[in-house]
Amino acid sequence: MQEADISSRIRTDVFGRRIRMYDVVDSTNLRAMELIRSGEDEGTLVIAEEQTAGRGRRGRSWLSEKGTNLLFSLIIKPRSEIYSPGLISLTAALAVASAVHEKYNITAECKWPNDIISRGKKFCGILPEAVIRSGRPIGVSLGIGINVNQMKFPSGISEKAVSLSLLAGNKLDRIEVLAVVLQYLETCFRKLESGLRREILDQWLKFSFQIGKHVAVNTGSKVIEGVAED
Ligand code: BTN
């Protein structure tokens, strides 16, 4: 993937209009957070072919074969208190799930809080990390990892992970996937900003893996069981 190719094929107004591309980086989220601290504007895309310290949720790592998938972080500037990390994750998950479903006809389900799965296996992980200054978030690095063309996964992961190419039955154009996902991300975030929070939540519910299922929620002090409704 070349930066110029990405730029020429992106169809958004703001998201991904400025690109920082790396061959190898520790973590695109760490680079994006550094940029936020130095005043970078919303929409900058940090993208890499390989991460040596890819970050996942709960201190886990994110592994991805070099030059095969999509590893990127998008800088988002929270404009109001509606931008909680939870809502950012959920909006991003909706954008990725609907992009994949509508453009590639791949069934996608959102597994709360931020996994996207298909046929019971995960193909995308989302990790928003906020930069806080004087107690307020000054920006969020919205980290997204999408398994696009990986054909094999290491043992221990292969039971749980899948790629879009395995699901589609053919290799996909990574830049096209990125361009489509950025378009959906921009549309969903603009909706959120214009007050259509309920619409985002309702759309997300349609992709939800858990709604109607028996779930157990660990609050830290106790486990509550029931059927997920909303
Ligand atoms: C998860 O499911 O645990 C979240 C994984 C998020 C991975 C992406 S890859 C690009 C960005 N940079 C990182 O270090 N992590 C996120």
Side-chain angles (χ1 to χ4, degrees):
M1 257 188 326
Q2 299 297 320
E3 197 178 309
D5 291 339
I6 300 177
S7 289
S8 67
R9 293 173 62 192
I10 282 179
R11 300 177 286 267
T12 41
D13 291 331
V14 178
F15 284 9
R17 277 284 146 217
R18 187 197 290 250
I19 299 170
R20 310 265 180 154
M21 167 120 204
Y22 296 88
D23 185 41
V24 183
V25 76
D26 46 2
S27 152
T28 57
N29 260 19
L30 290 177
R31 295 300 117 229
M33 287 196 282
E34 213 170 76
L35 288 169
I36 292 169
R37 279 185 210 102
S38 54
E40 188 81 8
D41 289 333
E42 176 161 82
T44 296
L45 175 75
V46 181
I47 182 160
E49 291 286 21
E50 183 181 13
Q51 295 186 126
T52 53
R55 292 151 75 86
R57 283 181 61 233
R58 300 170 158 212
R60 295 193 194 110
S61 49
W62 181 261
L63 303 172
S64 176
E65 198 175 84
K66 183 170 183 169
T68 310
N69 299 317
L70 285 172
L71 303 165
F72 63 91
S73 301
L74 196 62
I75 294 181
I76 307 276
K77 292 287 173 90
R79 292 199 170 76
S80 69
E81 64 288 347
I82 59 155
Y83 275 80
S84 67
L87 199 53
I88 288 178
S89 264
L90 199 137
T91 305
L94 168 66
V96 176
S98 35
V100 161
H101 177 63
E102 286 168 23
K103 298 286 175 179
Y104 296 100
N105 205 19
I106 292 172
T107 315
E109 291 179 296
C110 297
K111 192 169 170 198
W112 190 85
N114 58 1
D115 290 350
I116 310 183
I117 60 172
S118 187
R119 298 189 208 150
K121 291 185 175 186
K122 175 166 166 174
F123 67 84
C124 172
I126 297 170
L127 181 68
E129 294 192 272
V131 175
I132 312 287
R133 192 169 280 164
S134 312
R136 293 175 64 87
I138 56 162
V140 175
S141 164
L142 174 59
I144 302 184
I146 306 177
N147 298 331
V148 181
N149 284 324
Q150 191 159 337
M151 296 307 285
K152 279 203 174 121
F153 293 88
S155 63
I157 297 182
S158 61
E159 302 75 32
K160 296 180 271 185
V162 72
S163 64
L164 295 179
S165 64
L166 287 171
L167 292 162
N170 53 273
K171 200 168 172 239
L172 300 185
D173 175 344
R174 278 191 298 158
I175 300 184
E176 186 54 33
V177 177
L178 176 67
V180 168
V181 167
L182 286 175
Q183 231 177 352
Y184 274 73
L185 281 167
E186 193 168 89
T187 305
C188 289
F189 274 91
R190 293 296 93 96
K191 268 193 192 164
L192 189 62
E193 242 166 61
S194 55
L196 299 172
R197 181 175 176 273
R198 190 64 242 180
E199 192 181 306
I200 294 286
L201 296 177
D202 287 341
Q203 283 179 359
W204 184 89
L205 285 171
K206 294 199 182 108
F207 283 98
S208 168
F209 166 76
Q210 285 115 331
I211 296 301
K213 293 207 173 96
H214 187 267
V215 294
V217 179
N218 190 341
T219 66
S221 55
K222 61 182 174 189
V223 175
I224 304 168
E225 292 191 40
V227 174
E229 285 185 1
D230 202 350

